Amino acid sequence: MMAAAWILVCIFGCKLYGGFVRDWIVGQQRSRPKNKTIDQWVLYDQSPPHLHPELVPADLDCYLPSHGLYEIDEILNELGKLKMLAKVHRHYWRYALLVDENTKTGPFIIDLIIPNIKGTQYDRIDFDINNLFVEKDYTQHLGMRIDITCPPHSITLENIVDHIQKQSFHFLGEINDKPSGKILSDRLNKMITRGWTQINPALPSVMPSLNPPSNSTLTPLSKDSSLYQKLEKLMKSSFLKKDLEILSIEQIKNTELENIYIEAQKIIATQSSTSDGNEVQLFHGAKGN
Protein backbone atom coordinates (compact mmCIF):
# COMPACT_ATOMS: atom_id res chain seq x y z
CA MET A 1 0.00 0.00 0.00
CA MET A 2 2.86 2.37 0.82
CA ALA A 3 4.50 1.53 -2.52
CA ALA A 4 1.24 2.31 -4.33
CA ALA A 5 1.05 5.66 -2.52
CA TRP A 6 4.60 6.47 -3.67
CA ILE A 7 3.75 5.57 -7.28
CA LEU A 8 0.63 7.74 -7.31
CA VAL A 9 2.29 10.78 -5.72
CA CYS A 10 5.85 10.69 -7.08
CA ILE A 11 5.31 9.23 -10.56
CA PHE A 12 1.84 10.46 -11.48
CA GLY A 13 1.72 13.67 -9.44
CA CYS A 14 -1.47 12.80 -7.57
CA LYS A 15 -2.42 14.67 -4.42
CA LEU A 16 -2.87 12.16 -1.57
CA TYR A 17 -5.37 12.99 1.16
CA GLY A 18 -7.92 11.41 3.50
CA GLY A 19 -7.64 8.44 5.81
CA PHE A 20 -4.15 7.31 4.77
CA VAL A 21 -2.63 10.70 5.59
CA ARG A 22 -4.63 10.91 8.81
CA ASP A 23 -4.23 7.37 10.13
CA TRP A 24 -0.87 6.21 8.75
CA ILE A 25 1.33 9.23 8.03
CA VAL A 26 0.28 11.32 11.04
CA GLY A 27 -1.39 8.91 13.45
CA GLN A 28 0.80 5.86 12.68
CA GLN A 29 -2.24 3.68 13.33
CA ARG A 30 -2.86 0.20 11.99
CA SER A 31 -5.64 -2.26 12.76
CA ARG A 32 -7.15 -5.37 11.23
CA PRO A 33 -10.74 -6.66 11.48
CA LYS A 34 -11.22 -8.99 14.44
CA ASN A 35 -12.29 -12.57 13.77
CA LYS A 36 -12.18 -11.97 10.02
CA THR A 37 -10.00 -13.76 7.49
CA ILE A 38 -8.37 -11.73 4.73
CA ASP A 39 -10.89 -12.95 2.16
CA GLN A 40 -13.64 -11.43 4.34
CA TRP A 41 -12.17 -7.93 4.32
CA VAL A 42 -13.86 -6.94 1.05
CA LEU A 43 -17.58 -6.18 1.34
CA TYR A 44 -19.74 -6.45 -1.77
CA ASP A 45 -23.02 -5.09 -0.39
CA GLN A 46 -22.72 -1.98 -2.56
CA SER A 47 -21.03 -0.84 -5.75
CA PRO A 48 -18.15 -0.32 -5.94
CA PRO A 49 -16.99 -2.81 -3.26
CA HIS A 50 -15.62 -1.39 -0.02
CA LEU A 51 -13.50 -2.67 2.85
CA HIS A 52 -14.37 -3.68 6.39
CA PRO A 53 -14.66 -0.56 8.62
CA GLU A 54 -12.17 -1.97 11.15
CA LEU A 55 -9.39 -2.08 8.54
CA VAL A 56 -6.94 0.83 9.02
CA PRO A 57 -5.53 2.12 6.74
CA ALA A 58 -7.94 0.85 4.12
CA ASP A 59 -7.66 3.12 1.11
CA LEU A 60 -5.66 5.71 -0.75
CA ASP A 61 -7.68 8.80 -1.69
CA CYS A 62 -6.04 10.75 -4.50
CA TYR A 63 -6.82 13.64 -6.78
CA LEU A 64 -5.55 13.01 -10.29
CA PRO A 65 -3.52 16.01 -11.50
CA SER A 66 -5.44 18.61 -13.48
CA HIS A 67 -2.47 18.88 -15.84
CA GLY A 68 -1.14 15.96 -17.85
CA LEU A 69 -3.92 13.52 -17.04
CA TYR A 70 -2.80 9.93 -17.35
CA GLU A 71 -4.57 6.97 -18.86
CA ILE A 72 -5.75 4.59 -16.15
CA ASP A 73 -3.81 1.84 -17.95
CA GLU A 74 -0.55 3.68 -17.23
CA ILE A 75 -1.28 3.57 -13.51
CA LEU A 76 -2.24 -0.10 -13.70
CA ASN A 77 1.00 -0.86 -15.54
CA GLU A 78 3.09 0.79 -12.83
CA LEU A 79 1.23 -1.13 -10.12
CA GLY A 80 1.72 -4.30 -12.15
CA LYS A 81 5.49 -3.85 -12.09
CA LEU A 82 5.25 -4.56 -8.36
CA LYS A 83 2.86 -7.46 -9.03
CA MET A 84 -0.12 -5.52 -7.71
CA LEU A 85 -3.32 -6.46 -9.51
CA ALA A 86 -6.33 -4.15 -9.55
CA LYS A 87 -9.98 -4.36 -10.53
CA VAL A 88 -11.19 -1.04 -11.91
CA HIS A 89 -14.64 0.35 -11.16
CA ARG A 90 -15.56 3.54 -13.04
CA HIS A 91 -17.95 5.55 -10.91
CA TYR A 92 -19.10 9.11 -11.62
CA TRP A 93 -16.07 11.40 -11.13
CA ARG A 94 -13.66 8.74 -9.94
CA TYR A 95 -11.96 5.44 -10.54
CA ALA A 96 -12.18 2.94 -7.66
CA LEU A 97 -9.37 0.37 -7.82
CA LEU A 98 -9.64 -2.77 -5.69
CA VAL A 99 -6.01 -3.84 -5.33
CA ASP A 100 -4.49 -7.16 -4.21
CA GLU A 101 -7.83 -8.76 -3.47
CA ASN A 102 -6.36 -12.27 -3.27
CA THR A 103 -2.96 -11.72 -1.66
CA LYS A 104 -1.63 -12.71 1.76
CA THR A 105 -0.99 -9.08 2.68
CA GLY A 106 -4.65 -8.23 2.13
CA PRO A 107 -6.56 -5.88 -0.18
CA PHE A 108 -6.79 -2.12 -0.25
CA ILE A 109 -8.68 0.41 -2.36
CA ILE A 110 -7.41 3.34 -4.41
CA ASP A 111 -9.87 6.16 -5.09
CA LEU A 112 -8.73 8.32 -8.00
CA ILE A 113 -10.79 11.49 -8.17
CA ILE A 114 -11.00 13.02 -11.64
CA PRO A 115 -10.65 16.83 -11.56
CA ASN A 116 -13.50 18.83 -13.06
CA ILE A 117 -14.68 22.40 -13.21
CA LYS A 118 -17.41 21.94 -10.60
CA GLY A 119 -17.12 21.30 -6.88
CA THR A 120 -17.98 17.73 -5.91
CA GLN A 121 -18.63 15.85 -2.70
CA TYR A 122 -14.91 15.04 -2.61
CA ASP A 123 -14.07 18.73 -2.19
CA ARG A 124 -16.00 18.95 1.06
CA ILE A 125 -14.43 18.55 4.47
CA ASP A 126 -16.54 16.64 7.01
CA PHE A 127 -13.94 16.50 9.81
CA ASP A 128 -10.98 18.81 10.39
CA ILE A 129 -8.70 15.75 10.60
CA ASN A 130 -9.51 14.94 6.95
CA ASN A 131 -8.17 18.27 5.72
CA LEU A 132 -4.55 17.22 5.15
CA PHE A 133 -2.76 16.23 1.96
CA VAL A 134 0.67 15.25 0.64
CA GLU A 135 1.94 16.03 -2.86
CA LYS A 136 4.94 15.49 -5.11
CA ASP A 137 8.20 17.28 -4.22
CA TYR A 138 6.85 18.00 -0.72
CA THR A 139 6.42 14.46 0.60
CA GLN A 140 7.88 15.35 4.00
CA HIS A 141 5.41 18.19 4.49
CA LEU A 142 1.68 18.38 5.10
CA GLY A 143 -0.72 20.79 3.46
CA MET A 144 -4.31 21.82 4.09
CA ARG A 145 -6.80 21.04 1.34
CA ILE A 146 -8.97 24.01 2.31
CA ASP A 147 -7.92 26.99 4.41
CA ILE A 148 -9.91 26.78 7.65
CA THR A 149 -7.59 28.97 9.73
CA CYS A 150 -10.01 31.91 9.73
CA PRO A 151 -13.21 32.28 11.80
CA PRO A 152 -15.61 30.63 12.38
CA HIS A 153 -13.31 27.58 12.27
CA SER A 154 -9.91 29.00 13.28
CA ILE A 155 -8.20 25.61 12.97
CA THR A 156 -4.51 25.53 12.07
CA LEU A 157 -2.51 22.69 10.56
CA GLU A 158 -0.82 22.20 13.94
CA ASN A 159 -4.25 21.90 15.58
CA ILE A 160 -5.22 19.16 13.13
CA VAL A 161 -2.04 17.17 13.79
CA ASP A 162 -2.61 17.50 17.54
CA HIS A 163 -6.22 16.32 17.16
CA ILE A 164 -5.12 13.25 15.18
CA GLN A 165 -2.54 12.31 17.77
CA LYS A 166 -5.17 12.63 20.50
CA GLN A 167 -7.83 10.88 18.35
CA SER A 168 -10.22 13.81 18.57
CA PHE A 169 -11.87 15.83 15.83
CA HIS A 170 -14.09 18.76 14.94
CA PHE A 171 -17.23 17.88 12.99
CA LEU A 172 -17.73 20.39 10.17
CA GLY A 173 -21.27 20.09 8.96
CA GLU A 174 -24.92 19.64 9.75
CA ILE A 175 -26.86 16.41 10.02
CA ASN A 176 -30.31 16.70 8.44
CA ASP A 177 -32.91 14.56 6.68
CA LYS A 178 -31.26 14.87 3.28
CA PRO A 179 -29.25 11.96 1.79
CA SER A 180 -26.05 13.91 2.44
CA GLY A 181 -27.06 14.21 6.09
CA LYS A 182 -27.42 10.44 6.34
CA ILE A 183 -23.92 9.98 4.89
CA LEU A 184 -22.46 12.45 7.39
CA SER A 185 -24.26 10.71 10.25
CA ASP A 186 -22.85 7.32 9.22
CA ARG A 187 -19.33 8.72 8.91
CA LEU A 188 -19.62 10.42 12.30
CA ASN A 189 -20.79 7.21 13.98
CA LYS A 190 -17.99 5.27 12.28
CA MET A 191 -15.34 7.58 13.74
CA ILE A 192 -16.86 7.41 17.23
CA THR A 193 -17.07 3.60 17.01
CA ARG A 194 -13.36 3.53 16.19
CA GLY A 195 -12.65 5.34 19.46
CA TRP A 196 -12.40 8.94 18.25
CA THR A 197 -13.87 11.76 20.34
CA GLN A 198 -15.85 14.63 18.85
CA ILE A 199 -14.91 18.12 20.02
CA ASN A 200 -18.15 20.02 20.66
CA PRO A 201 -19.85 22.00 19.38
CA ALA A 202 -20.06 21.16 15.68
CA LEU A 203 -18.74 23.87 13.36
CA PRO A 204 -20.28 25.18 10.12
CA SER A 205 -19.76 23.11 6.99
CA VAL A 206 -16.88 23.94 4.67
CA MET A 207 -17.15 24.20 0.90
CA PRO A 208 -14.29 25.45 -1.26
CA SER A 209 -14.86 28.33 -3.63
CA LEU A 210 -15.44 27.07 -7.15
CA ASN A 211 -12.85 27.52 -9.83
CA PRO A 212 -13.23 30.50 -12.19
CA PRO A 213 -15.82 29.96 -14.93
CA SER A 214 -14.55 27.78 -17.76
CA ASN A 215 -14.72 28.63 -21.45
CA SER A 216 -15.39 24.96 -22.15
CA THR A 217 -18.78 23.30 -22.44
CA LEU A 218 -19.63 19.61 -22.52
CA THR A 219 -22.69 18.83 -24.62
CA PRO A 220 -24.21 15.43 -25.46
CA LEU A 221 -24.79 14.95 -29.19
CA SER A 222 -28.17 13.86 -30.45
CA LYS A 223 -28.14 10.62 -32.43
CA ASP A 224 -29.99 12.48 -35.17
CA SER A 225 -27.30 15.15 -35.56
CA SER A 226 -25.04 15.05 -38.60
CA LEU A 227 -21.91 15.18 -36.41
CA TYR A 228 -23.04 12.16 -34.36
CA GLN A 229 -23.76 10.15 -37.50
CA LYS A 230 -20.44 11.15 -39.04
CA LEU A 231 -18.49 10.10 -35.93
CA GLU A 232 -20.47 6.88 -35.64
CA LYS A 233 -19.58 5.97 -39.21
CA LEU A 234 -15.91 6.82 -38.68
CA MET A 235 -15.64 4.79 -35.48
CA LYS A 236 -17.34 1.72 -36.89
CA SER A 237 -15.12 1.80 -39.96
CA SER A 238 -11.94 2.35 -37.91
CA PHE A 239 -12.32 -0.23 -35.14
CA LEU A 240 -11.72 -3.91 -35.76
CA LYS A 241 -14.58 -5.07 -33.56
CA LYS A 242 -17.68 -5.42 -35.70
CA ASP A 243 -20.02 -5.42 -32.70
CA LEU A 244 -18.93 -1.95 -31.56
CA GLU A 245 -21.70 -0.30 -29.52
CA ILE A 246 -21.70 3.46 -29.05
CA LEU A 247 -23.47 4.42 -25.84
CA SER A 248 -23.13 8.18 -26.19
CA ILE A 249 -21.02 10.89 -27.78
CA GLU A 250 -20.27 14.17 -26.02
CA GLN A 251 -18.77 17.26 -27.61
CA ILE A 252 -16.25 19.41 -25.76
CA LYS A 253 -16.37 22.92 -27.15
CA ASN A 254 -14.14 25.86 -26.29
CA THR A 255 -15.05 28.91 -28.36
CA GLU A 256 -11.83 30.75 -27.54
CA LEU A 257 -9.60 27.86 -28.62
CA GLU A 258 -11.78 27.20 -31.66
CA ASN A 259 -11.28 30.77 -32.89
CA ILE A 260 -7.52 30.43 -32.44
CA TYR A 261 -7.61 27.12 -34.33
CA ILE A 262 -9.56 28.63 -37.24
CA GLU A 263 -7.11 31.51 -37.59
CA ALA A 264 -4.13 29.12 -37.47
CA GLN A 265 -5.84 26.93 -40.08
CA LYS A 266 -6.17 29.91 -42.42
CA ILE A 267 -2.46 30.66 -42.13
CA ILE A 268 -1.51 27.02 -42.78
CA ALA A 269 -3.91 26.86 -45.74
CA THR A 270 -2.03 29.69 -47.47
CA GLN A 271 1.14 27.61 -47.19
CA SER A 272 -0.35 24.36 -48.50
CA SER A 273 -2.15 23.15 -51.60
CA THR A 274 -5.44 22.47 -49.81
CA SER A 275 -8.07 24.94 -48.65
CA ASP A 276 -8.36 23.34 -45.21
CA GLY A 277 -4.63 23.22 -44.49
CA ASN A 278 -4.57 19.43 -44.87
CA GLU A 279 -6.70 18.99 -41.75
CA VAL A 280 -7.16 15.38 -40.58
CA GLN A 281 -9.38 13.84 -37.91
CA LEU A 282 -7.77 11.50 -35.39
CA PHE A 283 -9.00 9.39 -32.51
CA HIS A 284 -7.27 10.07 -29.20
CA GLY A 285 -7.16 8.01 -26.04
CA ALA A 286 -8.61 4.82 -27.52
CA LYS A 287 -6.83 1.48 -27.63
CA GLY A 288 -7.84 -1.61 -29.56
CA ASN A 289 -6.81 -5.23 -29.24
Side-chain angles (χ1 to χ4, degrees):
M1 190 175 187
M2 294 71 188
W6 184 89
I7 288 172
L8 293 167
V9 173
C10 296
I11 295 181
F12 293 102
C14 295
K15 184 179 290 186
L16 178 64
Y17 71 100
F20 185 82
V21 178
R22 179 193 68 217
D23 297 327
W24 181 259
I25 296 179
V26 179
Q28 298 183 349
Q29 299 176 14
R30 180 181 179 184
S31 66
R32 296 292 182 261
K34 297 178 181 178
N35 304 318
K36 299 288 184 182
T37 58
I38 289 179
D39 61 327
Q40 295 176 313
W41 289 4
V42 183
L43 305 179
Y44 296 94
D45 56 335
Q46 63 187 45
S47 181
H50 59 109
L51 297 179
H52 195 284
E54 294 179 9
L55 183 62
V56 177
D59 49 22
L60 299 172
D61 298 308
C62 295
Y63 283 104
L64 286 166
S66 56
H67 59 282
L69 285 178
Y70 298 95
E71 296 284 347
I72 189 67
D73 287 344
E74 295 181 52
I75 295 177
L76 296 178
N77 288 338
E78 285 295 328
L79 295 175
K81 291 177 182 179
L82 298 181
K83 301 188 183 303
M84 287 187 279
L85 301 178
K87 292 182 179 178
V88 180
H89 299 266
R90 182 72 165 85
H91 180 71
Y92 196 43
W93 291 110
R94 66 171 176 149
Y95 292 102
L97 278 58
L98 177 58
V99 185
D100 285 353
E101 182 179 10
N102 301 308
T103 62
K104 294 181 180 180
T105 53
F108 63 94
I109 287 177
I110 299 175
D111 266 332
L112 299 174
I113 311 305
I114 302 172
N116 58 91
I117 61 174
K118 296 181 180 179
T120 70
Q121 60 177 318
Y122 303 103
D123 297 318
R124 301 177 185 179
I125 306 298
D126 46 10
F127 311 124
D128 64 325
I129 53 176
N130 291 342
N131 195 29
L132 301 178
F133 74 88
V134 173
E135 63 182 345
K136 185 178 181 180
D137 298 328
Y138 301 94
T139 52
Q140 297 187 32
H141 299 79
L142 296 171
M144 295 178 68
R145 294 164 59 194
I146 300 176
D147 185 1
I148 55 175
T149 58
C150 298
H153 303 97
S154 302
I155 301 173
T156 65
L157 190 148
E158 290 76 12
N159 293 148
I160 296 174
V161 171
D162 183 61
H163 292 164
I164 293 174
Q165 293 173 341
K166 294 178 179 178
Q167 285 201 295
S168 59
F169 64 91
H170 278 292
F171 175 56
L172 311 178
E174 178 184 359
I175 296 177
N176 49 42
D177 296 332
K178 298 179 180 179
S180 58
K182 174 65 166 56
I183 294 174
L184 286 176
S185 177
D186 291 343
R187 289 176 60 82
L188 180 61
N189 291 333
K190 178 181 176 181
M191 293 299 294
I192 294 174
T193 301
R194 284 181 50 191
W196 290 72
T197 302
Q198 179 183 353
I199 303 172
N200 288 317
L203 296 174
S205 58
V206 179
M207 272 293 290
S209 57
L210 298 180
N211 295 331
S214 172
N215 292 324
S216 300
T217 58
L218 181 64
T219 307
L221 291 179
S222 168
K223 292 186 177 181
D224 297 327
S225 69
S226 58
L227 180 56
Y228 185 102
Q229 294 174 6
K230 178 181 179 181
L231 292 172
E232 182 181 37
K233 183 178 179 180
L234 281 171
M235 292 183 71
K236 288 186 175 180
S237 63
S238 301
F239 285 78
L240 297 177
K241 293 183 178 180
K242 302 300 181 182
D243 58 345
L244 175 68
E245 179 184 6
I246 299 176
L247 300 179
S248 65
I249 300 178
E250 296 177 325
Q251 181 183 30
I252 301 174
K253 193 175 182 67
N254 186 312
T255 304
E256 183 177 332
L257 289 180
E258 186 176 20
N259 291 335
I260 295 174
Y261 179 87
I262 292 173
E263 293 304 315
Q265 186 183 45
K266 291 178 181 178
I267 295 173
I268 295 173
T270 62
Q271 302 170 355
S272 66
S273 58
T274 59
S275 60
D276 61 358
N278 197 28
E279 181 184 45
V280 294
Q281 294 180 330
L282 304 173
F283 290 109
H284 172 69
K287 295 182 180 179
N289 295 326

